[in-house]
Structure formats: structure tokens, C-alpha cells
Amino acid sequence: MEQLSPASTLTDAFHGLGISVWTEDWRAVGQAILALRAAGIDPVQHLATAPGELARLHATVQVTDVNNFTLELMGMPDKRMLIGSLAEVVPNSAQTFARWFAALARGDRFYRFESRVRRLDGSLRDCLVMARLPQDPEGLARLFVCVVDITGYKADQMRLTEAERAVDRALRASAMGLVTAAIAHEVNNPLAAVVTNAEAALRWLRRPNPDTVEAEAAIVAAIGDALRARDVVDRTRALLSNAPPRPVALDPHHAIRDAAQFVQRELRLAEATLRLEVMADTPRLLADPVQVQQILTNLLLNAAQALVAHDGLREIALRARPHAAGVLIEVADSGAGIPPDRLLRVFEPFYSTRTDGIGLGLAICRTAAEAQGGRIWVSGAPGSGACFHVLLPAAP
Amino acid sequence: MVPGIIAVVDDDEAIRVALRSLLRSMGHEVRLFADAFSFLAEATLRPPDCVLTDIQMPGMNGLDLQREIRRTMPGLPVIVITAFPEEAIRRQAMADGALCFLSKPFETAAILHWLAEALGERK
């Protein structure tokens, strides 16, 4: 059997591996970067304002060699079609040249980016382009660029993402079946009360001696019931909508002030005071405003509920502050707190300690927080009140 | 219709308040209960002429209440009202001897009709 030398094995690998390898000469670019730096000019900023200069430098890059697989990748019959000025043999490279230039100017050790490569027949391939960037100018005489075709992998990833989305939608839909049943229950009760009160009012008025006091009481009750039905719809609208969250940069002051306004009535009923606090340096949130309102109003309503029958201090704090992973919003109440064995269960759907609750508020909060890429948890021992923590991403 | 004593068992206060007004406007005497236990405690001493009960309630639900009524107060008519109408529950309620099974929001005419039936039965 023929003994292969390590060098010839590597040469075989160079041509035989299904990876495209290019050797390129970037010396002129390296020299330009050094010259700009020597003149006290930031090379990246300079190039950003001088597009002609970028094109001129691009033209200086020379492709000196490619391996055999490169011909296959590019769909080209002859190596000579790829030797020469990079700008000429790969016109498409103009789009990524600024990225290369910036990586070199920053002194990056590696260049690793995805690019779309145009073959001779015009078709496009998704590729991962990698190079180790030499730190010395001489090393730039022979820059090795490696190009891996990831078109199939990308397509698989897309299909996988699509499949995951479909599964997610199906899961949401089946959860929605349960949720809509609960909502139907929640809405049908006040609706029944509206109809019954209105009928009662008619009957009080149609008596031979109309009883306007009874009729008025029934109409007032009907209005309250109708508003309750509206509230249920309002609070579940964000959950029911199939629209993906539309994250925007939100001022934390606005977010918590808006939520506070939404629950003024409930706070009055609970005779609770609400303190708002935004710590200095709290960044803006990156989240869907409707869903943030959903989360915060639900938590505030829960806090108000916890205080309704509470003896002692009735205070709720709504705070926003910076956190390593974004913005932390906290809703803390001075109520009876949550027993330790219930802390984990409170986010489960249909888990409610109230006889008038459907046990969806906190489940909705969790779904909404997770849809923003955030999370929600609760702390607090009996006697010290409950504190809900919502961690949401910060806007860049 | 002859006025009677109607018991309403529902954990939803708005429903209780609304039914009380409606039934009183018809001349009935109305007794309200937020749960099945408080109804049973009183009804054994002072039985009403008819019961309107919800199904989904904490503690004892409407179906269990209905069976308990069948056992202890066999002549008492029961009208079942639910915001969550499911065929299986409806069949169960009817098999257990409910006078009728109404979904919320219910039409007043239906309540009137079945109340007349219930209070007529009383005679």
C-alpha cells in the first residue's frame, strides 16, 4: 500500500473536502488601514463617508488560488475564471467588503459571516464564510478564506422553525379551547345578569303603579354587569389575538403609568394606595405594549383583590428597575402573601384561590411575558405580602 | 301565576341580584344563596317552592345539590341554569330529575314558563 506523506494528505484534503477554499491577497487593504490609523483617522468611520474609497480598496483584493471544490460550488468550469481581482471575479463581494474591512480594521481574529454566493448560472447558495485574520500586514498576502455551503442546512432550519411554529400554534389552539370555554363562562354570567336586570326593569316600569326605584336599581346593575363583560373581553383580547407580539421600545414610566390608570376603579374599591417608582437608569423595554399592559394590569388587579378583605396596611408598589437581563418590573402588595406550597402553582391555568376568579389571569401573564422573551415569577412569604417579578428585555 | 317562594343558588353575585329583582317584579318571594351548603341548611327548615341553581360553584356543584334535593326534598322542582352548557351535564341534570336546563344568558320567557310549570306542580 502506498505510504502517503502528511503534506500530500493535506493537499488531497484541500481539493477533496466539500469545502471551498480561496487564497486571497489583502495587503493593499492592510496598508490602507495602517496608513489611516497613522494619520489618526478611524478607518471604519472614514470608509463609511467615502464610498468611492471603499470600491477602490475592494478592487485591490486579489484572488490568487482556489481549490477544486470551489469550481463546483461556483458552477464554473475553469479555475482561471476565479483568479484575479476579487471585485471582478466575484462582483457580489462588493456587498460584504465593508464587513471584511471593518473586521480587519477592528483587529478581529476571525471573520465568520453568512453570505449569499451567486453561481455562474445565477442561482444563489447560502454560505458560511470564514477566515482567520492575520494580525501582521505580511500575513494578509495569503489570506485563507473558507466557504461552506449551508443552503440545505438553512432550508432545514427554516422548515424546523416553521414546524415549531406550527406545533406552538396547535398547542396554543388546544389551550385556547379550554380558555375560550372559561371565557364563555366568564362572559355569559354578566350577560345573563344584563338581560335579567333589563327584563326586571321593564317589569317594574310596566306595573300598574310603576316602581321607578326598583327599575333604576336594576338598570344601574345592568350597566355594571355590561362593563364587567367588557372587562373580561378586554383582558383576554391580547391572549386571543393570533397576532405575534409587536415589540417596540417602551418608556418604563409610560408603561407603569398607563397600567396604573387602568386599575384606578379597582384600587378605589380595595381602598388601596398605589406607589409608582422607576429607578434611575432603567432602560426602555422592548415589548408589545398591549401585552405589557395585559401583564401589569392583571398583576395590579390581583394585588388589589388581595387587599380587599385585608386588615392592616393596604399598599401596592409598582416598580421598574434595571436588571442584568433587561428591565425588572415588580408588583408588590402588603396583603396576606402566598403560602410557599402555592408559589409555584399560581401560574397554572384555572388555578384560583378566589371564588370569583377563573384562574387565568396569571397564566395569561406568564404566556404574555414569555411571548416577549421575558419571564415572570413570584416571591413573598405569608404575612409579608406577595411580590410578582416580571423580567422583560431592554431596548437596544 | 301564583306567587311562590323561589330560592336562587349561584356563586355569581350579579346573577343573584338580577334574578332577585326579576322574580320580585313578578311578585315572588326570593331567597338568595351563594353556595349549595347554605341553601341546604335553610331549605330543610323552610323549604321554598322552587329552586333555581347554577352548576359550576365552589364546594358542592349544582348536580350534587340537585341529587341531594332529590334525596331529602323529593317534591321540590329544580331549574338548572348554567353559563357553561355541555350536553353531558345537561343529560345528567335531566336524568337526575331537573325540571329544565337553561343556558345563560337565558330568556325571561323560558324562566317564566318553567316557573309557572313548577308552581303549578306544587298544587
Side-chain angles (χ1 to χ4, degrees):
Chain A
M1 200 184 195
E2 193 189 350
Q3 186 75 35
L4 292 175
S5 76
S8 77
T9 308
L10 271 182
T11 308
D12 288 347
F14 178 75
H15 288 295
L17 276 177
I19 295 173
S20 161
V21 181
W22 307 52
T23 57
E24 299 174 3
D25 182 346
W26 284 69
R27 266 179 302 182
V29 175
Q31 280 154 7
I33 290 171
L34 284 181
L36 285 168
R37 272 211 206 107
I41 299 167
D42 180 329
V44 177
Q45 272 183 6
H46 175 68
L47 265 281
T49 55
E53 182 71 357
L54 197 68
R56 193 189 65 75
L57 281 175
H58 184 210
T60 67
V61 178
Q62 297 292 315
V63 179
T64 50
D65 199 5
V66 295
N67 70 346
N68 292 349
F69 185 76
T70 302
L71 299 179
E72 211 173 296
L73 173 73
M74 302 298 286
M76 288 183 182
D78 194 323
K79 194 188 255 195
R80 277 171 297 182
M81 298 175 76
L82 285 171
I83 308 295
S85 164
L86 178 66
E88 279 169 34
V89 296
V90 190
N92 228 14
S93 61
Q95 292 171 16
T96 53
F97 179 72
R99 207 152 68 183
W100 281 96
F101 183 85
L104 284 167
R106 278 195 306 262
D108 287 0
R109 289 195 62 221
F110 289 98
Y111 177 94
R112 271 195 205 103
F113 282 105
E114 279 182 26
S115 287
R116 295 210 119 172
V117 169
R118 187 181 295 276
R119 288 160 56 91
L120 186 60
D121 65 7
S123 61
L124 294 169
R125 307 292 293 175
D126 288 308
C127 289
L128 182 62
V129 179
M130 294 173 291
R132 193 162 73 106
L133 303 177
Q135 299 298 300
D136 58 310
E138 275 319 297
L140 288 173
R142 245 164 43 119
L143 188 72
F144 294 105
V145 181
C146 163
V147 182
V148 182
D149 187 339
I150 55 169
T151 309
Y153 169 79
K154 287 276 283 185
D156 287 347
Q157 281 243 303
M158 288 273 282
R159 274 195 293 273
L160 188 63
T161 309
E162 225 4 85
E164 277 172 355
R165 283 212 193 104
V167 169
D168 192 48
R169 276 196 298 271
L171 281 178
R172 270 166 157 269
S174 65
M176 283 318 297
L178 291 170
V179 170
T180 45
I183 290 166
H185 182 260
E186 261 330 83
V187 174
N188 280 338
N189 259 328
L191 273 185
V194 169
V195 173
T196 307
N197 274 312
E199 285 274 2
L202 274 181
R203 291 181 160 272
W204 289 116
L205 291 175
R206 283 176 180 165
R207 288 186 153 204
N209 295 316
D211 191 328
T212 52
V213 175
E214 288 281 4
E216 190 185 329
I219 289 168
V220 168
I223 293 169
D225 299 330
L227 293 178
R228 196 175 121 214
R230 179 206 58 187
D231 288 349
V232 173
V233 174
D234 272 356
R235 283 170 207 162
T236 46
R237 193 179 45 194
L239 181 79
L240 282 170
S241 82
N242 216 6
R246 278 183 220 90
V248 297
L250 285 178
D251 184 329
H253 293 89
H254 291 165
I256 72 170
R257 200 186 54 210
D258 290 353
Q261 271 170 1
F262 207 78
V263 296
Q264 285 306 316
R265 200 176 68 93
E266 282 79 0
L267 289 172
R268 272 199 305 277
L269 287 176
E271 295 175 327
T273 53
L274 176 64
R275 277 191 300 117
L276 303 183
E277 190 185 341
V278 177
M279 264 178 68
D281 298 321
T282 304
R284 292 188 304 164
L285 313 163
L286 186 66
D288 185 296
V290 174
Q291 301 207 338
V292 170
Q293 285 313 303
Q294 186 84 8
I295 297 168
L296 297 184
T297 50
N298 256 313
L299 293 178
L300 287 172
L301 290 174
N302 272 1
Q305 285 283 347
L307 295 176
V308 165
H310 182 65
D311 289 325
L313 193 63
R314 294 187 182 182
E315 212 174 45
I316 301 169
L318 175 56
R319 296 185 290 257
R321 56 163 131 148
H323 184 277
V327 179
L328 188 63
I329 301 180
E330 292 173 327
V331 179
D333 65 58
S334 62
I338 303 171
D341 58 313
R342 287 186 179 164
L343 281 178
L344 286 174
R345 294 202 57 202
V346 293
F347 294 102
E348 288 175 22
F350 304 108
Y351 183 81
S352 180
T353 52
R354 301 205 307 265
T355 51
D356 61 340
I358 45 174
L360 280 178
L362 289 174
I364 289 168
C365 287
R366 186 176 61 179
T367 307
E370 286 172 359
Q372 315 302 312
R375 58 196 195 89
I376 186 170
W377 68 98
V378 63
S379 63
S384 68
C387 183
F388 285 87
H389 313 259
V390 186
L391 182 58
L392 293 169
Chain B
M1 193 196 319
V2 195
I5 302 169
I6 318 291
V8 174
V9 189
D10 197 309
D11 60 326
D12 190 305
E13 193 194 352
I15 296 285
R16 292 198 302 272
V17 168
L19 279 173
R20 179 177 58 195
S21 184
L22 179 73
L23 297 172
R24 282 181 54 242
S25 76
M26 299 171 182
H28 299 297
E29 183 186 330
V30 186
R31 296 180 191 160
L32 302 182
F33 303 91
D35 61 85
F37 298 115
S38 54
F39 165 78
L40 288 170
E42 202 201 276
T44 44
L45 304 174
R46 297 197 303 148
D49 297 316
C50 179
V51 184
L52 269 67
T53 181
D54 186 26
I55 295 271
Q56 287 82 13
M57 292 184 289
M60 180 188 275
N61 70 29
L63 289 178
D64 293 337
L65 170 63
Q66 200 195 334
R67 274 190 288 269
E68 189 59 21
I69 290 171
R70 213 35 73 235
R71 201 173 64 77
T72 55
M73 295 164 267
L76 182 57
V78 178
I79 294 174
V80 175
I81 304 173
T82 178
F84 197 55
E86 275 214 2
E87 186 50 26
I89 295 175
R90 192 193 70 82
R91 268 202 305 267
Q92 186 64 54
M94 296 314 285
D96 288 343
L99 187 61
C100 65
F101 184 89
L102 304 176
S103 323
K104 293 178 191 169
F106 41 81
E107 282 173 33
T108 310
I111 294 261
L112 285 179
H113 170 81
W114 290 109
L115 269 181
E117 193 102 333
L119 299 179
E121 261 179 27
R122 184 179 50 157
K123 295 274 160 310

